[in-house]
Amino acid sequence: MDKIKVIGKQTLSGKIYISGSKNSVVSLLPAAILSDECVIEKVPHISDVDNLEEILRFLNVKFSLESGVIHIDSTQMVNKSITEEYSTKLRASYYFMGALLGRFKRVEISLPGGCNIGARSFDFHLKGFEKLGAKVMVKDNLYIIEADKLEGAVIDLPFPSVGATVNIILAAVLASGKTIINNAASEPEIGNLIQFLNSMGAKIKGVNTNKLEIIGVSQLHGGKVRVIPDRIEAGTYILAGVMNGNNLEICDVMPEHLTSFFEVLDKMGARYKIDGDKVITNKSLHLKPVNIETAVYPGFATDLQQPITTLLLQAEGVSVLRETIYENRFQNTKYLNEMGANIEVLGDTIKVYGPTSLRGKLVRTSDLRAGAALVLAALSAEGETTITDIKHLLRGYSDLIKKLTNVGAKIWLIDE
Ligand code: EPU
């Protein structure tokens, strides 16, 4: 069951409830092992969570998931080498570097996986660990990171990397003394992690800023957190509503996390209304073309770059979109062009010539957000689209088919 079929041009109306954020929960789960018992609420139903569960169980952590609430008990945890079999299933497996180093002062782990959207090096993470006093050794693809003692340090990140900020926080909370992270990432998901760790007794200041101060503590106690709503999932369904909605309501959103996205929708003349934690969307005609450049938070999120490209196809004129975070995040354009789009790729920039009408086709999901872009295209296209390799989509969109079917989309899994 690695394919979906979509019959396009259905009107979408009703309510879609946004799940907990993928990029939050994937750091909260490794963070949970820093104390003995933790509770995580509003957990999305995505395969990245299943893959982290496998790693936790492999490390002898007790894990239960019921109605979106995870209970974790790591009192009997064993620090084992995390082999490729586990690590390559997702990017965030590398958050066990920071978490295990923090808890046991030693970790052995193979390379992470994740979407093939660029080089995605993690040198800043490793340099951060070294600054805290750890030694990093690499044998083939196995990373061995260990320290007699972790000591607080001042770490200047060359770029506000989300992953490096998370990993350094995880290693530093149990270090002795003070760690400062300058040029830290300030994405809302980092705020969610800090909230969780502080609920366990960590001392982290500077939430939502680019300078974090972590005062190491000797031990953490049990903690609890609710995963924040997934701003990228919300953005994706808002786009579906702007293309095909009739009062389609996207519920449980934190609109303050989507400011740059709404600015672009406003420039385009999209029809939507924010009402508390709801965004009400309607099919929008005569959209204007725009220029977009992706940036770190609070700029326009790279994770919404591919989904919004599908909306740009409907604008009346040429839109220009520059991707500044990843080198290889335009793999959706090939398939969109096969569906009838006219997109030119020029290095880190694409030119989208609109408006275009799309036709259903056989297309392939190359990575998570490319998959979202193709689902949006299929919902707007004439006829039937088959999307293959949807395992990428299932990594990050909770109950995608159910949510869309509930609001009138014709979309189903196929068994061929
Ligand atoms: N970078 C380095 N060295 C490092 C770390 C990063 O050169 O040590 C570069 C990367 O190669 C990339 C850029 O810095 O070009 C940004 O990387 P960052 O570390 O900020 O991203 P990430 O932690 O790998 C997370 C999300 C991504 C999201 C980015 C940016 C998770 C698990 N992943 O990735 O989410 O695009 O932040 O917001 O949180 C997605 O959800 O589709 C996704 C890819």
Side-chain angles (χ1 to χ4, degrees):
M1 291 235 276
D2 200 26
K3 288 183 195 162
I4 48 180
K5 263 203 185 7
V6 182
I7 297 181
K9 294 226 178 278
Q10 312 300 316
T11 299
L12 307 180
S13 58
K15 294 178 199 283
I16 293 181
Y17 289 88
I18 296 307
S19 301
S21 157
K22 166 182 90 80
N23 288 343
S24 268
V25 78
V26 297
S27 73
L28 298 173
L29 284 166
I33 62 151
L34 289 169
S35 90
D36 283 343
E37 284 183 80
C38 284
V39 179
I40 305 175
E41 298 173 344
K42 197 177 161 82
V43 174
H45 184 212
I46 53 176
S47 60
D48 270 10
V49 167
D50 303 337
N51 291 324
L52 287 169
E53 173 186 348
E54 260 187 42
I55 299 180
L56 288 166
R57 288 192 189 281
F58 169 72
L59 298 172
N60 212 34
V61 172
K62 285 197 191 126
F63 179 104
S64 79
L65 168 59
E66 224 185 289
S67 312
V69 180
I70 289 179
H71 287 260
I72 286 180
D73 174 349
S74 41
T75 38
Q76 308 296 319
M77 180 174 182
V78 183
N79 189 11
K80 292 193 265 180
S81 177
I82 302 174
T83 53
E84 269 180 11
E85 180 196 347
Y86 294 99
S87 66
T88 53
K89 287 195 179 151
L90 78 165
R91 186 82 200 152
S93 58
Y94 68 1
Y95 289 151
F96 281 100
M97 286 184 175
L100 289 170
L101 184 65
R103 177 158 175 163
F104 295 102
K105 311 291 172 266
R106 184 173 205 282
V107 53
E108 260 190 52
I109 186 166
S110 286
L111 279 172
C115 289
N116 177 18
I117 50 179
R120 308 196 80 180
S121 135
F122 48 96
D123 48 331
F124 309 155
H125 310 219
L126 302 177
K127 286 193 185 112
F129 298 144
E130 284 173 342
K131 274 260 177 177
L132 295 173
K135 256 203 318 228
V136 178
M137 288 157 286
V138 192
K139 272 198 213 150
D140 301 321
N141 283 339
L142 188 71
Y143 286 75
I144 304 162
I145 308 168
E146 59 188 7
D148 294 332
K149 187 171 182 260
L150 292 174
E151 262 183 285
V154 177
I155 297 170
D156 298 308
L157 288 179
F159 178 85
S161 152
V162 171
T165 304
V166 169
N167 247 333
I168 295 167
I169 294 174
L170 294 174
V173 281
L174 291 173
S176 64
K178 191 202 287 185
T179 297
I180 305 270
I181 311 178
N182 289 316
N183 203 20
S186 63
E187 269 69 1
E189 295 74 25
I190 307 260
N192 208 188
L193 172 69
I194 293 176
Q195 188 194 2
F196 185 37
L197 290 168
N198 283 347
S199 85
M200 299 180 200
K203 292 206 165 82
I204 310 170
K205 286 203 273 192
V207 68
N208 302 332
T209 75
N210 298 110
K211 181 174 179 175
L212 297 175
E213 184 184 297
I214 305 158
I215 310 282
V217 294
S218 57
Q219 217 183 342
L220 295 174
H221 51 71
K224 188 171 174 173
V225 73
R226 188 171 174 79
V227 184
I228 56 170
D230 195 308
R231 61 195 165 103
I232 309 303
E233 188 199 18
T236 305
Y237 291 125
I238 291 168
L239 290 168
V242 167
M243 283 187 265
N244 298 294
N246 176 16
N247 283 329
L248 178 71
E249 293 185 18
I250 317 302
C251 307
D252 292 349
V253 180
M254 290 180 78
E256 64 270 37
H257 293 165
L258 285 159
T259 311
S260 302
F261 174 72
F262 288 130
E263 273 169 23
V264 170
L265 292 189
D266 290 342
K267 281 190 196 148
M268 294 183 77
R271 290 170 66 210
Y272 74 94
K273 206 173 80 198
I274 300 171
D275 177 11
D277 65 354
K278 252 188 335 206
V279 183
I280 303 150
T281 56
N282 277 292
K283 183 177 171 80
S284 311
L285 302 172
H286 307 301
L287 291 167
K288 294 191 211 53
V290 276
N291 291 349
I292 304 174
E293 198 166 291
T294 61
V296 296
Y297 190 81
F300 190 93
T302 168
D303 297 344
L304 283 169
Q305 177 266 105
Q306 289 161 303
I308 207 166
T309 299
T310 307
L311 179 67
L312 298 182
L313 300 175
Q314 308 304 328
E316 297 179 347
V318 187
S319 297
V320 179
L321 197 161
R322 183 164 169 251
E323 169 58 60
T324 69
I325 310 290
Y326 295 110
E327 311 84 39
N328 188 22
R329 216 173 197 187
F330 292 137
Q331 294 173 75
N332 51 320
T333 57
K334 169 175 183 275
Y335 296 103
L336 292 175
N337 281 342
E338 286 175 12
M339 292 175 78
N342 185 0
I343 306 172
E344 211 181 339
V345 182
L346 306 154
D348 64 359
T349 300
I350 55 172
K351 278 190 173 172
V352 184
Y353 298 85
T356 30
S357 9
L358 301 174
R359 305 175 295 280
K361 278 272 168 195
L362 172 64
V363 291
R364 189 179 79 81
T365 298
S366 52
D367 55 85
L368 171 61
R369 307 302 170 187
L374 294 177
V375 170
L376 291 172
L379 291 171
S380 313
E382 196 68 60
E384 190 177 285
T385 301
T386 303
I387 308 179
T388 64
D389 271 350
I390 59 146
K391 58 177 184 291
H392 298 289
L393 263 170
L394 303 180
R395 288 196 16 240
Y397 285 87
S398 190
D399 301 320
L400 172 89
I401 297 191
K402 196 158 87 192
K403 287 185 187 186
L404 283 170
T405 306
N406 281 346
V407 295
K410 289 202 171 150
I411 177 167
W412 64 97
L413 277 171
I414 50 173
D415 248 337
E416 286 165 11

PDB file of all heavy atoms in Angstrom, residues 371-393:
ATOM      1  N   GLY A 371       5.713  15.474  -1.694  1.00  0.00           N
ATOM      2  CA  GLY A 371       4.491  14.673  -1.674  1.00  0.00           C
ATOM      3  C   GLY A 371       3.282  15.548  -1.374  1.00  0.00           C
ATOM      4  O   GLY A 371       2.229  15.432  -2.007  1.00  0.00           O
ATOM      5  N   ALA A 372       3.442  16.459  -0.419  1.00  0.00           N
ATOM      6  CA  ALA A 372       2.325  17.358  -0.079  1.00  0.00           C
ATOM      7  C   ALA A 372       1.977  18.234  -1.277  1.00  0.00           C
ATOM      8  O   ALA A 372       0.797  18.459  -1.576  1.00  0.00           O
ATOM      9  CB  ALA A 372       2.710  18.220   1.118  1.00  0.00           C
ATOM     10  N   ALA A 373       3.004  18.701  -1.988  1.00  0.00           N
ATOM     11  CA  ALA A 373       2.773  19.541  -3.173  1.00  0.00           C
ATOM     12  C   ALA A 373       1.991  18.760  -4.223  1.00  0.00           C
ATOM     13  O   ALA A 373       1.102  19.304  -4.883  1.00  0.00           O
ATOM     14  CB  ALA A 373       4.120  20.009  -3.741  1.00  0.00           C
ATOM     15  N   LEU A 374       2.301  17.466  -4.353  1.00  0.00           N
ATOM     16  CA  LEU A 374       1.616  16.649  -5.363  1.00  0.00           C
ATOM     17  C   LEU A 374       0.180  16.336  -4.949  1.00  0.00           C
ATOM     18  O   LEU A 374      -0.719  16.305  -5.793  1.00  0.00           O
ATOM     19  CB  LEU A 374       2.398  15.348  -5.623  1.00  0.00           C
ATOM     20  CG  LEU A 374       3.777  15.542  -6.263  1.00  0.00           C
ATOM     21  CD1 LEU A 374       4.489  14.205  -6.415  1.00  0.00           C
ATOM     22  CD2 LEU A 374       3.666  16.238  -7.623  1.00  0.00           C
ATOM     23  N   VAL A 375      -0.046  16.121  -3.657  1.00  0.00           N
ATOM     24  CA  VAL A 375      -1.429  15.896  -3.200  1.00  0.00           C
ATOM     25  C   VAL A 375      -2.257  17.152  -3.500  1.00  0.00           C
ATOM     26  O   VAL A 375      -3.368  17.078  -4.025  1.00  0.00           O
ATOM     27  CB  VAL A 375      -1.473  15.559  -1.690  1.00  0.00           C
ATOM     28  CG1 VAL A 375      -2.911  15.576  -1.165  1.00  0.00           C
ATOM     29  CG2 VAL A 375      -0.851  14.190  -1.430  1.00  0.00           C
ATOM     30  N   LEU A 376      -1.691  18.326  -3.204  1.00  0.00           N
ATOM     31  CA  LEU A 376      -2.420  19.576  -3.484  1.00  0.00           C
ATOM     32  C   LEU A 376      -2.698  19.707  -4.978  1.00  0.00           C
ATOM     33  O   LEU A 376      -3.791  20.127  -5.383  1.00  0.00           O
ATOM     34  CB  LEU A 376      -1.607  20.789  -2.999  1.00  0.00           C
ATOM     35  CG  LEU A 376      -1.478  20.928  -1.475  1.00  0.00           C
ATOM     36  CD1 LEU A 376      -0.493  22.045  -1.114  1.00  0.00           C
ATOM     37  CD2 LEU A 376      -2.839  21.204  -0.830  1.00  0.00           C
ATOM     38  N   ALA A 377      -1.724  19.328  -5.792  1.00  0.00           N
ATOM     39  CA  ALA A 377      -1.918  19.410  -7.247  1.00  0.00           C
ATOM     40  C   ALA A 377      -3.005  18.432  -7.677  1.00  0.00           C
ATOM     41  O   ALA A 377      -3.896  18.784  -8.461  1.00  0.00           O
ATOM     42  CB  ALA A 377      -0.600  19.102  -7.960  1.00  0.00           C
ATOM     43  N   ALA A 378      -2.968  17.224  -7.131  1.00  0.00           N
ATOM     44  CA  ALA A 378      -3.946  16.202  -7.513  1.00  0.00           C
ATOM     45  C   ALA A 378      -5.360  16.633  -7.131  1.00  0.00           C
ATOM     46  O   ALA A 378      -6.320  16.358  -7.854  1.00  0.00           O
ATOM     47  CB  ALA A 378      -3.593  14.876  -6.834  1.00  0.00           C
ATOM     48  N   LEU A 379      -5.495  17.322  -5.993  1.00  0.00           N
ATOM     49  CA  LEU A 379      -6.829  17.767  -5.549  1.00  0.00           C
ATOM     50  C   LEU A 379      -7.402  18.815  -6.506  1.00  0.00           C
ATOM     51  O   LEU A 379      -8.611  18.977  -6.607  1.00  0.00           O
ATOM     52  CB  LEU A 379      -6.743  18.368  -4.128  1.00  0.00           C
ATOM     53  CG  LEU A 379      -6.434  17.395  -2.979  1.00  0.00           C
ATOM     54  CD1 LEU A 379      -6.164  18.170  -1.691  1.00  0.00           C
ATOM     55  CD2 LEU A 379      -7.583  16.408  -2.763  1.00  0.00           C
ATOM     56  N   SER A 380      -6.515  19.559  -7.200  1.00  0.00           N
ATOM     57  CA  SER A 380      -6.974  20.628  -8.098  1.00  0.00           C
ATOM     58  C   SER A 380      -7.007  20.185  -9.550  1.00  0.00           C
ATOM     59  O   SER A 380      -7.469  20.942 -10.406  1.00  0.00           O
ATOM     60  CB  SER A 380      -6.012  21.818  -8.035  1.00  0.00           C
ATOM     61  OG  SER A 380      -5.712  22.141  -6.733  1.00  0.00           O
ATOM     62  N   ALA A 381      -6.451  18.992  -9.846  1.00  0.00           N
ATOM     63  CA  ALA A 381      -6.296  18.593 -11.251  1.00  0.00           C
ATOM     64  C   ALA A 381      -7.576  17.987 -11.814  1.00  0.00           C
ATOM     65  O   ALA A 381      -8.400  17.437 -11.074  1.00  0.00           O
ATOM     66  CB  ALA A 381      -5.161  17.568 -11.362  1.00  0.00           C
ATOM     67  N   GLU A 382      -7.681  18.067 -13.118  1.00  0.00           N
ATOM     68  CA  GLU A 382      -8.772  17.401 -13.836  1.00  0.00           C
ATOM     69  C   GLU A 382      -8.447  15.911 -13.869  1.00  0.00           C
ATOM     70  O   GLU A 382      -7.323  15.537 -14.219  1.00  0.00           O
ATOM     71  CB  GLU A 382      -8.751  17.972 -15.268  1.00  0.00           C
ATOM     72  CG  GLU A 382      -9.979  17.737 -16.091  1.00  0.00           C
ATOM     73  CD  GLU A 382     -11.183  18.508 -15.552  1.00  0.00           C
ATOM     74  OE1 GLU A 382     -11.124  19.756 -15.490  1.00  0.00           O
ATOM     75  OE2 GLU A 382     -12.149  17.824 -15.196  1.00  0.00           O
ATOM     76  N   GLY A 383      -9.392  15.056 -13.475  1.00  0.00           N
ATOM     77  CA  GLY A 383      -9.193  13.609 -13.617  1.00  0.00           C
ATOM     78  C   GLY A 383      -8.451  12.976 -12.457  1.00  0.00           C
ATOM     79  O   GLY A 383      -8.381  13.523 -11.357  1.00  0.00           O
ATOM     80  N   GLU A 384      -7.863  11.817 -12.782  1.00  0.00           N
ATOM     81  CA  GLU A 384      -7.319  10.953 -11.727  1.00  0.00           C
ATOM     82  C   GLU A 384      -5.793  11.030 -11.657  1.00  0.00           C
ATOM     83  O   GLU A 384      -5.114  10.921 -12.668  1.00  0.00           O
ATOM     84  CB  GLU A 384      -7.747   9.527 -12.061  1.00  0.00           C
ATOM     85  CG  GLU A 384      -7.487   8.540 -10.978  1.00  0.00           C
ATOM     86  CD  GLU A 384      -8.013   7.161 -11.366  1.00  0.00           C
ATOM     87  OE1 GLU A 384      -9.246   6.960 -11.329  1.00  0.00           O
ATOM     88  OE2 GLU A 384      -7.188   6.306 -11.723  1.00  0.00           O
ATOM     89  N   THR A 385      -5.271  11.195 -10.448  1.00  0.00           N
ATOM     90  CA  THR A 385      -3.812  11.182 -10.240  1.00  0.00           C
ATOM     91  C   THR A 385      -3.460   9.993  -9.362  1.00  0.00           C
ATOM     92  O   THR A 385      -4.150   9.728  -8.375  1.00  0.00           O
ATOM     93  CB  THR A 385      -3.360  12.474  -9.519  1.00  0.00           C
ATOM     94  OG1 THR A 385      -3.734  13.592 -10.327  1.00  0.00           O
ATOM     95  CG2 THR A 385      -1.853  12.512  -9.295  1.00  0.00           C
ATOM     96  N   THR A 386      -2.381   9.299  -9.726  1.00  0.00           N
ATOM     97  CA  THR A 386      -1.848   8.251  -8.844  1.00  0.00           C
ATOM     98  C   THR A 386      -0.521   8.759  -8.314  1.00  0.00           C
ATOM     99  O   THR A 386       0.333   9.199  -9.084  1.00  0.00           O
ATOM    100  CB  THR A 386      -1.631   6.933  -9.628  1.00  0.00           C
ATOM    101  OG1 THR A 386      -2.879   6.568 -10.203  1.00  0.00           O
ATOM    102  CG2 THR A 386      -1.140   5.820  -8.733  1.00  0.00           C
ATOM    103  N   ILE A 387      -0.379   8.714  -6.997  1.00  0.00           N
ATOM    104  CA  ILE A 387       0.872   9.180  -6.376  1.00  0.00           C
ATOM    105  C   ILE A 387       1.556   7.972  -5.748  1.00  0.00           C
ATOM    106  O   ILE A 387       0.972   7.308  -4.882  1.00  0.00           O
ATOM    107  CB  ILE A 387       0.609  10.266  -5.315  1.00  0.00           C
ATOM    108  CG1 ILE A 387      -0.251  11.396  -5.911  1.00  0.00           C
ATOM    109  CG2 ILE A 387       1.919  10.820  -4.767  1.00  0.00           C
ATOM    110  CD1 ILE A 387      -0.588  12.506  -4.929  1.00  0.00           C
ATOM    111  N   THR A 388       2.779   7.683  -6.183  1.00  0.00           N
ATOM    112  CA  THR A 388       3.495   6.521  -5.651  1.00  0.00           C
ATOM    113  C   THR A 388       4.487   6.960  -4.569  1.00  0.00           C
ATOM    114  O   THR A 388       4.717   8.156  -4.379  1.00  0.00           O
ATOM    115  CB  THR A 388       4.264   5.772  -6.764  1.00  0.00           C
ATOM    116  OG1 THR A 388       5.270   6.655  -7.271  1.00  0.00           O
ATOM    117  CG2 THR A 388       3.351   5.358  -7.895  1.00  0.00           C
ATOM    118  N   ASP A 389       5.062   5.983  -3.881  1.00  0.00           N
ATOM    119  CA  ASP A 389       6.057   6.213  -2.824  1.00  0.00           C
ATOM    120  C   ASP A 389       5.544   7.103  -1.702  1.00  0.00           C
ATOM    121  O   ASP A 389       6.267   7.974  -1.204  1.00  0.00           O
ATOM    122  CB  ASP A 389       7.326   6.858  -3.419  1.00  0.00           C
ATOM    123  CG  ASP A 389       8.309   5.802  -3.886  1.00  0.00           C
ATOM    124  OD1 ASP A 389       8.079   4.612  -3.580  1.00  0.00           O
ATOM    125  OD2 ASP A 389       9.290   6.152  -4.551  1.00  0.00           O
ATOM    126  N   ILE A 390       4.300   6.870  -1.297  1.00  0.00           N
ATOM    127  CA  ILE A 390       3.727   7.778  -0.312  1.00  0.00           C
ATOM    128  C   ILE A 390       4.267   7.532   1.104  1.00  0.00           C
ATOM    129  O   ILE A 390       3.876   8.201   2.046  1.00  0.00           O
ATOM    130  CB  ILE A 390       2.191   7.735  -0.304  1.00  0.00           C
ATOM    131  CG1 ILE A 390       1.725   6.324  -0.004  1.00  0.00           C
ATOM    132  CG2 ILE A 390       1.599   8.269  -1.587  1.00  0.00           C
ATOM    133  CD1 ILE A 390       0.465   6.321   0.782  1.00  0.00           C
ATOM    134  N   LYS A 391       5.193   6.573   1.236  1.00  0.00           N
ATOM    135  CA  LYS A 391       5.803   6.369   2.563  1.00  0.00           C
ATOM    136  C   LYS A 391       6.406   7.681   3.072  1.00  0.00           C
ATOM    137  O   LYS A 391       6.406   7.953   4.266  1.00  0.00           O
ATOM    138  CB  LYS A 391       6.852   5.262   2.517  1.00  0.00           C
ATOM    139  CG  LYS A 391       7.969   5.500   1.520  1.00  0.00           C
ATOM    140  CD  LYS A 391       8.991   4.374   1.596  1.00  0.00           C
ATOM    141  CE  LYS A 391      10.188   4.602   0.694  1.00  0.00           C
ATOM    142  NZ  LYS A 391       9.873   4.513  -0.755  1.00  0.00           N
ATOM    143  N   HIS A 392       6.891   8.508   2.142  1.00  0.00           N
ATOM    144  CA  HIS A 392       7.459   9.801   2.553  1.00  0.00           C
ATOM    145  C   HIS A 392       6.387  10.680   3.206  1.00  0.00           C
ATOM    146  O   HIS A 392       6.645  11.361   4.190  1.00  0.00           O
ATOM    147  CB  HIS A 392       8.039  10.534   1.343  1.00  0.00           C
ATOM    148  CG  HIS A 392       9.168   9.806   0.689  1.00  0.00           C
ATOM    149  ND1 HIS A 392      10.400   9.685   1.279  1.00  0.00           N
ATOM    150  CD2 HIS A 392       9.249   9.154  -0.491  1.00  0.00           C
ATOM    151  CE1 HIS A 392      11.203   8.991   0.473  1.00  0.00           C
ATOM    152  NE2 HIS A 392      10.524   8.647  -0.601  1.00  0.00           N
ATOM    153  N   LEU A 393       5.199  10.653   2.604  1.00  0.00           N
ATOM    154  CA  LEU A 393       4.100  11.482   3.132  1.00  0.00           C
ATOM    155  C   LEU A 393       3.647  11.003   4.501  1.00  0.00           C
ATOM    156  O   LEU A 393       3.332  11.796   5.381  1.00  0.00           O
ATOM    157  CB  LEU A 393       2.896  11.353   2.200  1.00  0.00           C
ATOM    158  CG  LEU A 393       2.675  12.420   1.160  1.00  0.00           C
ATOM    159  CD1 LEU A 393       1.587  11.979   0.211  1.00  0.00           C
ATOM    160  CD2 LEU A 393       2.312  13.746   1.793  1.00  0.00           C
TER     161      LEU A 393
END
